[in-house]
């Protein structure tokens, strides 16, 4: 069942087990979806498909765990979090990804630059992980007000020893589709 795989994926993310997430959850799910699109509702104890065919849950599950776990894009009521689950090889070589689905746009460049445009409104805390540790980053919020781009927030913030940047909600008052750009300063 999908909710078990969803919970398992989040547990593996919490433990930092990217390889287990790939091999035990995502790879098999993607392989089956790529060959058949629709899966049966459940699998029996031998791994054989059981119950109703053409079940919608697994395509939706793949989409959700890619967004929430692999790319770590989470937009909550009080915060925005970009926390991708990295494999040990991507930790050594850096990570670049471009997530553009619907009205959610995130570009993440090798520990040094993140650009996002999200459907977020109001005061939001911002947490971005997997940036260069113990470094200064410039954070700029640009508002496209009738095609007249203007900067509404421009601040410098440092990352902690694990490469996490945190900005409190009091500093970010967003209007829908503001562009947030985070760039390495030093």
């Amino acid at each position: 069942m999908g909710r078990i795989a969803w919970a398992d994926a989040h547990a593996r993310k919490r433990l930092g087990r990217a390889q287990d997430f790939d091999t035990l959850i995502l790879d098999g799910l993607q392989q089956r979806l790529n060959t058949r699109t629709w899966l049966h509702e459940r699998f029996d104890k031998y791994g054989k498909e059981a119950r109703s065919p053409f079940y919608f849950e697994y395509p939706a599950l793949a989409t959700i765990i890619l967004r929430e776990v692999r790319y770590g894009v989470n937009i909550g009521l009080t915060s925005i979090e970009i926390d991708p689950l990295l494999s040990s090889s991507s930790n050594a070589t850096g990570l670049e990804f471009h997530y553009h689905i619907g009205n959610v746009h995130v570009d993440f460049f090798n520990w040094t630059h993140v650009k996002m445009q999200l459907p977020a409104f109001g005061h939001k805390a911002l947490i971005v992980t997997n940036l260069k540790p113990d470094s200064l980053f410039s954070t700029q919020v640009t508002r496209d007000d009738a095609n007249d781009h203007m900067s509404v927030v421009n601040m410098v913030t440092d990352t902690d020893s694990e490469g996490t940047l945190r900005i409190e909600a009091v500093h970010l008052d967003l209007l829908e589709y503001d562009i947030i750009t985070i760039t390495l300063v030093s």
Side-chain angles (χ1 to χ4, degrees):
M1 294 185 287
R3 65 184 171 266
I4 295 169
W6 176 85
D8 191 3
H10 277 275
R12 291 178 194 284
K13 179 178 182 172
R14 188 80 144 169
L15 295 172
R17 307 287 299 263
Q19 185 173 353
D20 288 348
F21 169 75
D22 288 337
T23 57
L24 299 175
I25 300 171
L26 194 58
D27 290 349
L29 182 61
Q30 284 182 322
Q31 185 272 330
R32 284 178 186 258
L33 288 172
N34 287 337
T35 57
R36 301 197 26 219
T37 305
W38 297 100
L39 303 180
H40 283 70
E41 180 179 355
R42 298 198 176 148
F43 297 90
D44 65 18
K45 63 183 179 183
Y46 303 107
K48 304 274 186 209
E49 294 175 330
R51 295 185 68 171
S52 59
F54 311 114
Y55 196 59
F56 72 93
E57 186 174 25
Y58 294 102
L61 170 68
T63 303
I64 290 169
I65 64 174
L66 281 170
R67 179 179 54 82
E68 293 179 355
V69 178
R70 167 60 67 223
Y71 300 111
V73 177
N74 293 293
I75 305 166
L77 294 175
T78 61
S79 66
I80 298 167
E81 184 175 11
I82 309 298
D83 181 21
L85 178 62
L86 305 177
S87 67
S88 57
S89 63
S90 61
N91 279 335
T93 62
L95 169 74
E96 182 175 313
F97 69 82
H98 307 280
Y99 183 91
H100 299 278
I101 297 182
N103 56 1
V104 176
H105 305 281
V106 178
D107 294 302
F108 193 101
F109 300 96
N110 295 329
W111 304 309
T112 62
H113 183 84
V114 180
K115 183 176 181 181
M116 61 189 95
Q117 188 173 20
L118 311 163
F121 185 80
H123 289 279
K124 303 278 187 199
L126 177 64
I127 301 165
V128 180
T129 66
N130 296 296
L131 296 172
K132 186 176 178 184
D134 298 316
S135 301
L136 288 176
F137 282 83
S138 167
T139 302
Q140 182 176 19
V141 178
T142 306
R143 184 158 296 148
D144 188 3
D145 191 18
N147 295 320
D148 183 25
H149 296 287
M150 58 185 224
S151 178
V152 292
V153 174
N154 199 352
M155 65 173 54
V156 176
T157 311
D158 59 342
T159 54
D160 63 19
S161 62
E162 295 180 356
T164 300
L165 179 134
R166 298 176 195 281
I167 299 175
E168 294 180 28
V170 70
H171 298 295
L172 287 181
D173 187 11
L174 302 173
L175 290 179
E176 195 168 16
Y177 305 116
D178 283 349
I179 300 168
I180 303 169
T181 307
I182 300 167
T183 308
L184 178 67
V185 174
S186 66

